[in-house]
Amino acid sequence: MPDTAELLETTLAPSHKALGARMVEFGGWNMPVSYSSILEEHRAVREKAGLFDISHMGQIFVSGAGAEAWLNTTLTNDVRRLSVGHGQYTLMLNESGGTVDDLIIYRLEDLRYLLLVNASRIEDDFTWLNRRKNANITLENLSPEFGGLALQGPESETVLRRSFDEEKRPLKRNQLLITPFEGLDVILTRTGYTGEDGFELFASNELLPKLWDRLLAEGKPLGLQPCGLGARDTLRLEACYPLYGHELDSSITPLEAGLGSFLCFDKPEKFVGIDVLRKQKQEGLSRKSVALQVLGNGAPPRAQYPVLKDGQRIGEVTSGSHSPTLKRGIALALIDSAHAEAGTLLEILVRERPVSVQVVKKPFYRSSSL
Amino acid sequence: MNHPDTLLYSDTHEWLSVHDGIGTVGITDHAQNALSDVVFVELPKPGKVVKRKDPTAAVESVKAASDIYAPVSGEIIEVNSGLSQNPEWVNGSPYEQGWIFKIKLSQPEETSTLKKASDYVAGLGH
């Protein structure tokens, strides 16, 4: 882990410190883990609204003639389905079907796209894309110039409407709009990583503190709270969204991670890794990512704890926590697919003690607004 | 933060209060505040014999698990079973409702290895 001295800070770092945030290292960045308490911030997002600094995330722009076909060989989903102003969740794979990154791609213009990538993956993604590109493709990593905010929760739309001067036409899930704020452009998208309705906003570092202050001020009367990475993690885990480095990595395929619906096998272009995934599909998976719920009042599971069936190790926890909504331990675990059926009783080893868990259907939590 | 003068403190942020050879153990106000929301407490079994500095219980916040070390050697004679249903007592009342276990001291002289409140607070560095 890098020294604190080497960590990157977002333009909002002074605001976080002024709000009394506890800071932690994440993907090379010094980020707020919580301001008040993780439980309180989690509840704010489920019931009202929360505002997150997501400036650590990466923005890579792709343009040029042939961008559509090239992206379709590079990413698993089908970008041909995107009209301008729309986005989709997709994955970038290596030749052995393992995951380079998971990301959201937006079509900004006919031949210009935005990739929103994980903070810890920006450099590797950019290197990977550059290695694969041809002369017709232009790649720009503008991550250092952009900051980002996630406004999440049932009150998000109201907070947004009150924060911008002009009336917004309603955005649907995964849609994008470029809109002015104090004379500068903001990329506004209706998406998120919490399992609630919400928006992500990307703007120049210069504009970001003003945007943060405005959203906080307009949101406060509606119950909005600033939220850290702690709540972001419990929220995404309840919604069963994968976290790169946990549910996905260079050796885990999207089929194993349960993300098959984001793989487009029948588009005209073959995406990198498709042969391995076709084979996995035909032959069946040997391991699978499942949702586990602790039975009764057991200790919360944590990443890397062993998962057992009849005393035999069958896999391990990839992410685990106490679920503030269910008020019990929950986990995602990569296990032998013979035991992946919902209802199966398993055990997780916590400090040498077995804790009883059950395989349950994903997700743990589904919002009525999504 | 509150660190009563009547208690003894370990470097690993447990407190100890001894009466008639029986010690009561919990975690300090500083520790509960650093952990934030406690969501689970793993209690030792009464009858268990532990040595000073043995991991004896565990406290889990939303984000992470932390071991609780025995500040003195002895036999666990009672645990705060109310914490199974109310782990948040550790945050709300670290010195009263949130006590974790009681231990019958086998080597009472070990209490001299612990700090008084003023030294413990000075060691926190802020």
Side-chain angles (χ1 to χ4, degrees):
Chain A
M1 204 177 279
D3 287 339
T4 320
E6 296 166 13
L7 293 178
L8 299 164
E9 289 205 321
T10 78
T11 40
L12 296 175
S15 310
H16 302 323
K17 286 167 192 167
L19 287 164
R22 298 156 196 269
M23 308 294 283
V24 290
E25 189 275 339
F26 181 81
W29 291 78
N30 190 30
M31 297 296 289
V33 65
S34 78
Y35 301 82
S36 55
S37 92
I38 295 173
L39 292 179
E40 214 176 285
E41 292 163 26
H42 183 107
R43 193 178 318 121
V45 173
R46 291 276 179 256
E47 294 173 4
K48 310 278 187 190
L51 187 63
F52 302 79
D53 180 4
I54 56 166
S55 299
H56 56 313
M57 293 195 72
Q59 291 79 23
I60 296 173
F61 291 79
V62 181
S63 55
E68 184 182 71
W70 180 76
L71 283 165
N72 255 358
T73 65
T74 307
L75 304 170
T76 60
N77 212 332
D78 187 1
V79 298
R80 288 183 199 278
R81 290 181 193 160
L82 292 179
S83 44
V84 171
H86 287 75
Q88 68 189 189
Y89 178 78
T90 187
L91 297 111
M92 185 153 74
L93 308 185
N94 57 35
E95 284 87 358
S96 46
T99 308
V100 176
D101 203 0
D102 65 329
L103 59 129
I104 298 182
I105 180 169
Y106 289 98
R107 190 167 208 154
L108 297 172
E109 296 160 23
D110 200 24
L111 292 173
R112 185 168 164 83
Y113 297 82
L114 165 61
L115 312 184
L116 284 173
V117 306
N118 284 303
S120 61
R121 303 300 301 158
I122 297 170
E123 300 306 325
D124 286 359
D125 287 359
F126 198 56
T127 304
W128 176 259
L129 290 164
N130 270 296
R131 198 184 306 149
R132 293 190 32 78
K133 87 180 185 84
N134 57 51
N136 296 325
I137 304 293
T138 305
L139 294 172
E140 295 165 279
N141 175 14
L142 297 184
S143 309
E145 288 157 46
F146 274 92
L149 303 177
L151 169 65
Q152 300 283 299
E155 297 285 0
S156 298
E157 195 171 11
T158 311
V159 176
L160 194 75
R161 209 170 45 234
R162 292 185 186 174
S163 302
F164 280 78
D165 304 328
E166 58 184 78
E167 193 61 27
K168 296 278 152 285
R169 65 182 158 78
L171 280 183
K172 290 198 187 114
R173 191 82 181 156
N174 288 332
Q175 268 190 318
L176 171 147
L177 179 69
I178 296 177
T179 184
F181 181 84
E182 305 215 336
L184 292 169
D185 279 351
V186 174
I187 299 174
L188 175 66
T189 68
R190 191 163 203 159
T191 183
Y193 192 51
T194 60
E196 295 297 332
D197 183 22
F199 300 85
E200 290 181 349
L201 303 92
F202 301 96
S204 68
N205 284 317
E206 170 199 352
L207 187 61
L208 208 69
K210 290 180 193 164
L211 202 51
W212 167 267
D213 288 344
R214 175 83 61 89
L215 292 168
L216 265 191
E218 295 293 347
K220 221 161 216 171
L222 294 162
L224 175 141
Q225 291 198 23
C227 297
L229 294 183
R232 193 165 162 81
D233 194 48
T234 51
L235 289 158
R236 71 93 194 167
L237 185 57
E238 286 184 346
C240 287
Y241 293 147
L243 174 61
Y244 194 88
H246 291 253
E247 285 68 44
L248 292 169
D249 67 27
S250 60
S251 70
I252 302 174
T253 75
L255 285 175
E256 292 170 329
L259 301 169
S261 59
F262 305 102
L263 306 175
C264 201
F265 288 100
D266 54 8
K267 60 185 178 182
E269 304 85 358
K270 281 176 71 176
F271 60 84
V272 178
I274 193 170
D275 296 334
V276 178
L277 292 184
R278 277 204 174 118
K279 193 156 172 262
Q280 251 184 5
K281 225 179 163 181
Q282 274 164 14
E283 295 175 358
L285 297 169
S286 61
R287 56 181 194 167
K288 220 169 164 181
S289 178
V290 295
L292 301 176
Q293 187 166 308
V294 172
L295 296 173
N297 199 20
R302 307 288 179 189
Q304 296 171 352
Y305 283 2
V307 180
L308 311 178
K309 173 72 181 172
D310 302 326
Q312 296 297 308
R313 189 188 169 114
I314 57 157
E316 71 173 29
V317 172
T318 52
S319 294
S321 177
H322 169 82
S323 160
T325 303
L326 303 177
K327 297 191 168 47
R328 62 177 62 205
I330 58 170
L332 291 170
L334 191 59
I335 64 163
D336 183 340
S337 39
H339 307 291
E341 193 83 24
T344 308
L345 296 175
L346 302 172
E347 287 174 328
I348 294 177
L349 209 51
V350 181
R351 291 180 291 275
E352 312 297 316
R353 294 189 198 183
V355 169
S356 299
V357 298
Q358 186 168 32
V359 179
V360 296
K361 275 179 85 170
K362 293 181 188 178
F364 296 104
Y365 170 85
R366 195 189 294 275
S367 165
S368 53
S369 67
L370 283 186
Chain B
M1 254 174 276
N2 173 28
H3 297 100
D5 288 334
T6 49
L7 305 175
L8 293 169
Y9 298 86
S10 71
D11 291 333
T12 47
H13 310 291
E14 293 86 12
W15 57 263
L16 174 76
S17 144
V18 184
H19 292 288
D20 300 330
I22 305 295
T24 304
V25 178
I27 66 168
T28 66
D29 198 21
H30 167 80
Q32 72 76 19
N33 184 60
L35 285 170
S36 189
D37 313 298
V38 171
V39 294
F40 183 82
V41 181
E42 188 168 284
L43 298 164
K45 288 215 165 59
K48 188 176 178 185
V49 175
V50 295
K51 285 214 260 317
R52 185 169 78 92
K53 294 188 174 176
D54 278 354
T56 301
V59 172
E60 302 235 15
S61 69
V62 178
K63 270 210 87 68
S66 307
D67 283 326
I68 306 301
Y69 300 93
V72 288
S73 306
E75 181 188 343
I76 306 299
I77 56 163
E78 195 182 338
V79 298
N80 186 355
S81 52
L83 293 176
S84 316
Q85 291 306 316
N86 304 285
E88 69 280 4
W89 287 350
V90 173
N91 294 118
S93 175
Y95 302 113
E96 286 162 26
Q97 267 189 309
W99 66 275
I100 296 172
F101 59 84
K102 292 190 182 180
I103 183 165
K104 188 174 176 188
L105 277 67
S106 58
Q107 287 162 281
E109 69 280 6
E110 284 176 347
T111 54
S112 67
T113 64
L114 299 171
K115 286 176 171 168
K116 52 183 192 177
S118 54
D119 293 340
Y120 173 70
V121 171
L124 297 176
H126 51 82

